[in-house]
Amino acid sequence: MQQEKAIAGKASHMAKKGLAAGFPLVLSYVPVAIAFGVVARQSGMNVFDIVMMSVLVYAGAAQFMSVNMMNVGAGALEIVIATFVLNFRHFIMSFSFMNRLRHIEFSKKAPLTLLLTDETFAVSSIHKEEAKKEKGIIFYTVLILSAYISWIFGTIVGALLGDIIPPKLSESMGIALYAMFIGLLVPPVKKEIRLGIIAVIAMILNAFFSQFMASGWSIVLGTIIGGASGIFLIKEAKA
């Protein structure tokens, strides 16, 4: 009986630590998710589709980009390819996350990689020691689920407010897309300026290709070729 209470106490302790670590993410996810819901609703999507996009895709930058691409008339294939390219980094993050939690059973940690984001990956990277502790999986589960649930909650609120908020205000909330991309770009650029150069190359290529092809494909080509330029830039840096 005492052993069961001790185990329950450790589980509760890890859950509280995970909630505390995830709380700052909740505060930042909700307003951005509300902005996404409003922008998507104002773009003509229905509430169900908007919420399901957050439930099934759960990729803030990719969701904003998809809505933007739909607004400029991009097709489904263009959106799928652009989303795949944009989120390709999740393969690397998931492998790193799995390796860090090597002390935890595969069946328990694998499902968490499906809900991994840049922010939850960064926070989990800070809290490496929890992976070695008993019931450590609960810490990561609560951390990741709190961010996921807050994103869906914010999306629902934004989608419902989309019909109420004046168009001018919703248009101003569209800047959330650019703010999110800048927020993702600036931290790594501060550490490695060549990453900023790669981003600039991608933007220039997108502007060039958009002169004679659909906006969706210009984004895809700009992203792929711009990203590929990093092979040479990073190689030169290491040399």
Side-chain angles (χ1 to χ4, degrees):
M1 190 66 179
Q2 288 183 341
Q3 186 177 3
E4 291 178 354
K5 285 185 177 179
I7 294 173
K10 290 178 181 177
S12 176
H13 176 65
M14 281 297 174
K16 289 177 181 176
K17 286 190 69 175
L19 193 60
F23 187 66
L25 297 182
V26 172
L27 294 180
S28 61
Y29 271 29
V30 169
V32 178
I34 291 175
F36 165 73
V38 171
V39 171
R41 184 64 178 148
Q42 295 283 342
S43 298
M45 293 180 67
N46 62 53
V47 174
F48 179 78
D49 288 345
I50 295 170
V51 175
M52 288 310 295
M53 181 182 277
S54 283
V55 171
L56 300 176
V57 179
Y58 184 45
Q63 289 180 226
F64 274 107
M65 181 191 67
S66 298
V67 171
N68 188 45
M69 291 180 73
M70 283 189 281
N71 286 338
V72 298
L77 181 61
E78 299 163 68
I79 295 173
V80 169
I81 293 175
T83 301
F84 176 80
V85 173
L86 182 62
N87 290 327
F88 190 79
R89 67 191 185 284
H90 283 269
F91 284 108
I92 300 172
M93 290 196 300
S94 295
F95 284 131
S96 176
F97 181 77
M98 293 278 284
N99 183 55
R100 191 176 305 127
L101 274 62
R102 65 175 72 88
H103 301 287
I104 297 174
E105 294 176 35
F106 179 84
S107 59
K108 293 181 179 178
K109 61 186 178 184
L112 294 181
T113 61
L114 299 175
L115 301 178
L116 206 58
T117 65
D118 298 284
E119 295 78 15
T120 53
F121 175 76
V123 175
S124 64
S125 299
I126 298 172
H127 298 272
K128 298 178 181 178
E129 293 303 315
E130 276 71 13
K132 302 174 184 175
K133 297 178 181 176
E134 190 176 356
K135 301 297 178 183
I137 187 62
I138 294 178
F139 170 84
Y140 297 102
T141 302
V142 173
L143 164 67
I144 291 174
L145 284 181
S146 62
Y148 179 59
I149 293 171
S150 66
W151 181 261
I152 295 173
F153 171 75
T155 300
I156 294 173
V157 174
L160 295 176
L161 290 176
D163 292 329
I164 302 172
I165 292 180
K168 285 187 177 181
L169 179 59
S170 68
E171 289 174 6
S172 66
M173 294 182 75
I175 198 171
L177 166 65
Y178 308 106
M180 174 167 280
F181 277 121
I182 292 172
L184 292 174
L185 182 63
V186 169
V189 169
K190 289 173 71 176
K191 296 180 180 177
E192 177 54 74
I193 190 63
R194 286 179 175 80
L195 296 177
I197 296 174
I198 294 170
V200 172
I201 291 174
M203 286 188 284
I204 293 173
L205 288 173
N206 173 45
F208 172 73
F209 290 131
S210 65
Q211 301 302 312
F212 50 86
M213 65 173 58
S215 299
W217 285 114
S218 69
I219 293 173
V220 171
L221 286 177
T223 303
I224 293 175
I225 299 175
S229 69
I231 297 174
F232 303 100
L233 288 172
I234 300 300
K235 185 178 180 181
E236 288 178 3
K238 289 181 176 178

